mmCIF file of all heavy atoms in Angstrom:
data_model
loop_
_atom_site.group_PDB
_atom_site.id
_atom_site.type_symbol
_atom_site.label_atom_id
_atom_site.label_comp_id
_atom_site.label_asym_id
_atom_site.label_seq_id
_atom_site.Cartn_x
_atom_site.Cartn_y
_atom_site.Cartn_z
ATOM 1 N N GLU O 122 -25.851 -0.075 -17.551
ATOM 2 C CA GLU O 122 -25.706 1.130 -18.376
ATOM 3 C C GLU O 122 -24.468 1.938 -17.949
ATOM 4 O O GLU O 122 -23.716 2.334 -18.835
ATOM 5 C CB GLU O 122 -26.975 2.067 -18.283
ATOM 6 C CG GLU O 122 -28.313 1.415 -18.768
ATOM 7 C CD GLU O 122 -28.904 0.429 -17.745
ATOM 8 O OE1 GLU O 122 -28.596 0.555 -16.549
ATOM 9 O OE2 GLU O 122 -29.666 -0.316 -18.115
ATOM 10 N N HIS O 123 -24.259 2.183 -16.667
ATOM 11 C CA HIS O 123 -23.167 2.864 -16.184
ATOM 12 C C HIS O 123 -21.898 2.179 -16.549
ATOM 13 O O HIS O 123 -20.892 2.784 -16.940
ATOM 14 C CB HIS O 123 -23.259 3.306 -14.686
ATOM 15 C CG HIS O 123 -22.131 3.989 -14.209
ATOM 16 N ND1 HIS O 123 -21.914 5.373 -14.462
ATOM 17 C CD2 HIS O 123 -21.065 3.738 -13.376
ATOM 18 C CE1 HIS O 123 -20.836 5.685 -13.918
ATOM 19 N NE2 HIS O 123 -20.295 4.752 -13.226
ATOM 20 N N LEU O 124 -21.854 0.805 -16.142
ATOM 21 C CA LEU O 124 -20.679 0.077 -16.456
ATOM 22 C C LEU O 124 -20.334 0.117 -17.919
ATOM 23 O O LEU O 124 -19.137 0.077 -18.305
ATOM 24 C CB LEU O 124 -20.820 -1.335 -15.879
ATOM 25 C CG LEU O 124 -21.021 -1.450 -14.401
ATOM 26 C CD1 LEU O 124 -21.297 -2.971 -14.002
ATOM 27 C CD2 LEU O 124 -19.673 -0.954 -13.659
ATOM 28 N N ASN O 125 -21.316 0.056 -18.822
ATOM 29 C CA ASN O 125 -21.087 0.099 -20.168
ATOM 30 C C ASN O 125 -20.412 1.450 -20.658
ATOM 31 O O ASN O 125 -19.539 1.387 -21.451
ATOM 32 C CB ASN O 125 -22.381 -0.128 -21.036
ATOM 33 C CG ASN O 125 -22.905 -1.484 -21.099
ATOM 34 O OD1 ASN O 125 -22.004 -2.483 -20.864
ATOM 35 N ND2 ASN O 125 -24.106 -1.808 -21.327
ATOM 36 N N ALA O 126 -20.979 2.444 -20.130
ATOM 37 C CA ALA O 126 -20.369 3.859 -20.358
ATOM 38 C C ALA O 126 -18.959 3.963 -19.757
ATOM 39 O O ALA O 126 -18.062 4.492 -20.553
ATOM 40 C CB ALA O 126 -21.221 4.939 -19.675
ATOM 41 N N VAL O 127 -18.645 3.433 -18.596
ATOM 42 C CA VAL O 127 -17.304 3.469 -18.145
ATOM 43 C C VAL O 127 -16.379 2.694 -18.959
ATOM 44 O O VAL O 127 -15.267 3.020 -19.296
ATOM 45 C CB VAL O 127 -17.281 2.947 -16.654
ATOM 46 C CG1 VAL O 127 -15.868 2.701 -16.171
ATOM 47 C CG2 VAL O 127 -18.002 3.922 -15.747
ATOM 48 N N ALA O 128 -16.821 1.479 -19.372
ATOM 49 C CA ALA O 128 -15.924 0.550 -20.227
ATOM 50 C C ALA O 128 -15.691 1.329 -21.543
ATOM 51 O O ALA O 128 -14.495 1.212 -21.982
ATOM 52 C CB ALA O 128 -16.775 -0.743 -20.553
ATOM 53 N N GLU O 129 -16.605 2.022 -22.143
ATOM 54 C CA GLU O 129 -16.420 2.673 -23.345
ATOM 55 C C GLU O 129 -15.459 3.854 -23.155
ATOM 56 O O GLU O 129 -14.650 4.082 -23.982
ATOM 57 C CB GLU O 129 -17.708 3.181 -24.007
ATOM 58 C CG GLU O 129 -17.620 3.939 -25.314
ATOM 59 C CD GLU O 129 -16.839 3.134 -26.389
ATOM 60 O OE1 GLU O 129 -16.998 1.962 -26.393
ATOM 61 O OE2 GLU O 129 -16.105 3.831 -27.127
ATOM 62 N N ASP O 130 -15.553 4.517 -22.049
ATOM 63 C CA ASP O 130 -14.609 5.586 -21.734
ATOM 64 C C ASP O 130 -13.115 5.117 -21.737
ATOM 65 O O ASP O 130 -12.221 5.828 -22.260
ATOM 66 C CB ASP O 130 -14.847 6.244 -20.391
ATOM 67 C CG ASP O 130 -16.106 7.172 -20.377
ATOM 68 O OD1 ASP O 130 -16.612 7.513 -21.404
ATOM 69 O OD2 ASP O 130 -16.533 7.433 -19.236
ATOM 70 N N ILE O 131 -12.986 3.999 -21.059
ATOM 71 C CA ILE O 131 -11.663 3.453 -20.953
ATOM 72 C C ILE O 131 -11.168 2.915 -22.250
ATOM 73 O O ILE O 131 -9.993 3.203 -22.779
ATOM 74 C CB ILE O 131 -11.708 2.299 -19.835
ATOM 75 C CG1 ILE O 131 -11.931 2.887 -18.508
ATOM 76 C CG2 ILE O 131 -10.311 1.618 -19.874
ATOM 77 C CD1 ILE O 131 -12.191 1.847 -17.436
ATOM 78 N N ARG O 132 -11.958 2.082 -23.007
ATOM 79 C CA ARG O 132 -11.619 1.657 -24.312
ATOM 80 C C ARG O 132 -11.262 2.641 -25.250
ATOM 81 O O ARG O 132 -10.228 2.584 -26.027
ATOM 82 C CB ARG O 132 -12.753 0.785 -24.960
ATOM 83 C CG ARG O 132 -12.970 -0.583 -24.571
ATOM 84 C CD ARG O 132 -13.879 -1.336 -25.406
ATOM 85 N NE ARG O 132 -15.155 -0.779 -25.401
ATOM 86 C CZ ARG O 132 -16.175 -1.079 -24.560
ATOM 87 N NH1 ARG O 132 -15.991 -2.069 -23.689
ATOM 88 N NH2 ARG O 132 -17.398 -0.475 -24.810
ATOM 89 N N SER O 133 -12.017 3.771 -25.259
ATOM 90 C CA SER O 133 -11.757 4.862 -26.185
ATOM 91 C C SER O 133 -10.458 5.705 -25.857
ATOM 92 O O SER O 133 -10.031 6.500 -26.652
ATOM 93 C CB SER O 133 -12.962 5.736 -26.416
ATOM 94 O OG SER O 133 -13.256 6.488 -25.162
ATOM 95 N N SER O 134 -9.965 5.612 -24.602
ATOM 96 C CA SER O 134 -9.015 6.490 -24.124
ATOM 97 C C SER O 134 -7.649 5.725 -23.853
ATOM 98 O O SER O 134 -6.575 6.293 -24.126
ATOM 99 C CB SER O 134 -9.346 7.315 -22.847
ATOM 100 O OG SER O 134 -10.550 8.063 -23.038
ATOM 101 N N ALA O 135 -7.676 4.596 -23.363
ATOM 102 C CA ALA O 135 -6.477 3.954 -22.732
ATOM 103 C C ALA O 135 -5.442 3.477 -23.751
ATOM 104 O O ALA O 135 -4.329 3.524 -23.484
ATOM 105 C CB ALA O 135 -7.060 2.732 -21.904
#
Side-chain angles (χ1 to χ4, degrees):
E122 297 80 16
H123 180 72
L124 294 177
N125 284 337
V127 170
E129 181 54 36
D130 284 346
I131 294 169
R132 277 193 302 269
S133 66
S134 301

